[in-house]
């Protein structure tokens, strides 16, 4: 029976998709091979004098980069004799801080290749660090490492660039000049790839196995991936007793599972998990959001041993008022049924900072004793009463006007924190005037923690009051999600028929009973998905809104804290 040209093309495309499931072929990977000439062997005391780089894909050169660099110091005579680069040649050359932007742009997201890569990357990293440029974190391939796998001791007794150029018969001869050496290195690399293909090194993901090979007993387990579909979803590694060891998500389940056994896994916990794993289960999901939510639910239900990042509600910190006649603020591990609560907080330390600024601004009591309705005979107030920082319900009881303090605190927690923020802002200004900048920074961090916790609480509370069907474009298709009271109840990916899918999902939100114990992490995943640019609302049943006087109007405090942290962690340019 004859096969039509169109069906043949479809079969070829299907075969190509199946091949691509295993990762990115080396023939389609972009490499940038770099070589440096320097004034010495240490990036601590020496400088770069020349950069040469060659960009290749599939063995073809698609771009080159070359420039001399002014090192800002005399070049030692020994280096001049080796490279031929003299002081006169570099006197008009740009300094490294002017060269780096162009080189980093040339590098882009390609794989970085070098012969004895720690030398070249060490100089480049040091230059970026010194001049305030972010190192791109490119994947690095060292041709010395490749040569140890691709050549024998007999043909290449050492792995010098000149030796390898002779072994592989390169068109370019290395001569201790950056561009020529980079061209020779690139040529050697592609010739070694031809040899290594016979050993199964055909994809970008396989290169890790050369750098830090997995033990043979673990690498043999890669067959677990054979039956795994090449679709988005959740994977679960199981141990010898069927126990769930690790849960994760991926856009391509087969490629991700295979990568555990072919890439050089550095995390000790994951390596231990791979030693124990005997099988892998998968759950195909319609959308990435559904996969992330399923992951959170599975981790919470089974608490896999090797999941360090896990949905553990008992670890979540909240700030709430205690249930007593004269309440105080406390860090809680659950929101409970309190009508005024902050959180989920980013950690217990943020929770304590938020409590402290509320105490400073509004006069909420700091003592942890449960106070009686009527003060005890002989009760004595602490120093805060004399300082005017506490209404002292411990000695004055109902006459202390502490009820108005709590009313203000309750309003700040549940609705509008403007009064509290203004009070702390005045305190920060006073500390700054007296040059007490450390205390001013502590109060600023406290306001940031309070506003962040209030914003998160108000977002989740708003989401719990409605049902939503929303859509966002993913490539040529559409992802739809149905959310009811903060929980994901359904999702679909469609190429056409968006409104038909939306109506199906809307019926789900109206017919399903939503559990009352929806995980906080799930609600936050859903909330972030809805708030992403490009997400469109198709149906909203109920009210999804937050007050104009809510915590969001004070988010500048969060921005200020994040900017301060970012500047503290980087070198000024």
């Amino acid at each position: 029976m004859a096969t039509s040209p169109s069906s043949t093309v479809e079969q070829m495309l299907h075969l190509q998709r199946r091949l691509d499931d295993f990762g990115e072929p080396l023939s389609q990977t972009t490499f940038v091979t770099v070589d440096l000439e320097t004034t010495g062997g240490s990036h601590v005391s020496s400088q770069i004098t020349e950069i040469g780089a060659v960009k290749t894909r599939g063995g073809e050169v698609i771009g080159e980069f070359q420039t001399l660099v002014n090192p800002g110091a005399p070049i030692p005579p020994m280096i001049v004799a080796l490279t031929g680069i003299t002081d006169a040649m570099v006197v008009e050359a740009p300094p490294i801080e002017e060269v780096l932007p162009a080189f980093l742009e040339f590098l882009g997201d390609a794989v970085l290749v070098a012969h004895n890569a720690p030398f070249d990357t060490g100089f480049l990293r040091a230059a970026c660090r010194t001049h305030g440029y972010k190192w791109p974190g490119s994947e690095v391939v060292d041709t010395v490492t490749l040569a140890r796998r691709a050549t024998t001791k007999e043909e290449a007794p050492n792995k010098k660039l000149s030796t390898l150029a002779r072994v592989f018969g390169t068109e370019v001869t290395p001569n201790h000049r950056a561009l020529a050496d980079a061209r020779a290195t690139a040529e050697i690399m592609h010739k070694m790839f031809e040899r290594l293909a016979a050993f199964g090194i055909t994809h970008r993901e396989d290169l890790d196995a050369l750098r830090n090979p997995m033990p043979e007993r673990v690498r043999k387990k890669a067959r677990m991936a054979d039956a795994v579909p090449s679709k988005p979803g959740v994977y679960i590694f199981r141990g010898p007793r069927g126990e769930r060891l690790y849960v994760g998500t991926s856009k391509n389940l087969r490629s991700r599972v295979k990568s555990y056994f072919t890439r050089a896994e550095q995390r000790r916990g994951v390596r231990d998990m791979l030693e124990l794993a005997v099988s892998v289960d998968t759950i195909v999901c319609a959308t990435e959001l559904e996969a992330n939510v399923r992951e959170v639910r599975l981790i919470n239900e089974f608490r896999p041993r090797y999941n360090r990042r896990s949905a553990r509600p008992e670890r979540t910190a909240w700030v709430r008022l205690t249930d007593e006649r004269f309440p105080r603020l406390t860090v809680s591990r659950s929101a409970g049924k309190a009508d005024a609560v902050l959180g989920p907080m980013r950690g217990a330390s943020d929770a304590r900072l938020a409590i402290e600024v509320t105490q400073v601004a509004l006069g909420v009591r700091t003592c942890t004793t449960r106070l009686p309705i009527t003060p005890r005979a002989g009760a004595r107030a602490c120093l805060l009463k004399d300082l005017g920082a506490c209404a002292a319900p411990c000695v004055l009881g109902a006459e202390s006007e502490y009820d108005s303090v709590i009313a203000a605190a309750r309003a700040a927690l549940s609705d509008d924190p403007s009064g509290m923020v203004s009070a702390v802002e005045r305190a920060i200004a006073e500390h700054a005037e007296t040059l007490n900048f450390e205390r001013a920074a502590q109060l600023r961090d406290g306001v940031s923690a309070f506003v962040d916790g209030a914003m998160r609480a108000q977002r989740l509370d708003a989401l719990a009051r409605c049902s939503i069907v929303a859509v966002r474009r993913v490539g040529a298709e559409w992802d739809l999600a149905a959310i009811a009271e903060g929980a994901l109840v359904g999702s679909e990916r469609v190429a056409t028929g968006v409104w038909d899918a939306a109506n199906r999902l809307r019926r789900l939100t109206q017919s399903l009973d939503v559990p009352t114990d929806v995980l906080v992490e799930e609600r936050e995943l859903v909330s972030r998905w809805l708030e992403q640019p490009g997400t469109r609302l198709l149906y909203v049943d109920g009210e999804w809104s937050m007050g104009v006087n809510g915590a969001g109007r004070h988010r500048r405090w969060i921005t200020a804290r994040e900017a301060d942290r970012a500047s503290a962690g980087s070198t000024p340019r």
Side-chain angles (χ1 to χ4, degrees), residues 237 241 243-247 269 272-273 276 299 302-308 312:
F237 281 106
R241 298 186 300 277
E243 71 275 23
R244 294 163 181 83
L245 299 174
Y246 186 82
V247 177
D272 292 343
M273 181 274 293
L276 291 173
I299 290 173
F302 298 109
R303 308 294 174 91
R305 176 179 173 184
Y306 292 97
N307 277 101
R308 299 304 182 193
R312 297 184 183 273

Side-chain angles (χ1 to χ4, degrees), residues 379-442:
R380 299 178 61 184
C382 65
L383 181 63
L384 292 178
K385 177 179 181 299
D386 297 330
L387 295 175
C390 180
C394 54
V395 295
L396 298 177
E399 299 177 1
S400 65
E401 299 184 357
Y402 189 70
D403 289 346
S404 62
V405 171
I406 293 303
R410 200 179 299 278
L413 265 66
S414 60
D415 185 19
D416 183 6
S418 296
M420 189 277 297
V421 171
S422 297
V424 180
E425 196 166 13
R426 289 191 295 272
I428 290 174
E430 291 172 3
H431 286 297
E433 285 180 5
T434 60
L435 305 184
N436 190 357
F437 298 117
E438 184 176 354
R439 179 57 176 162
Q442 289 173 349

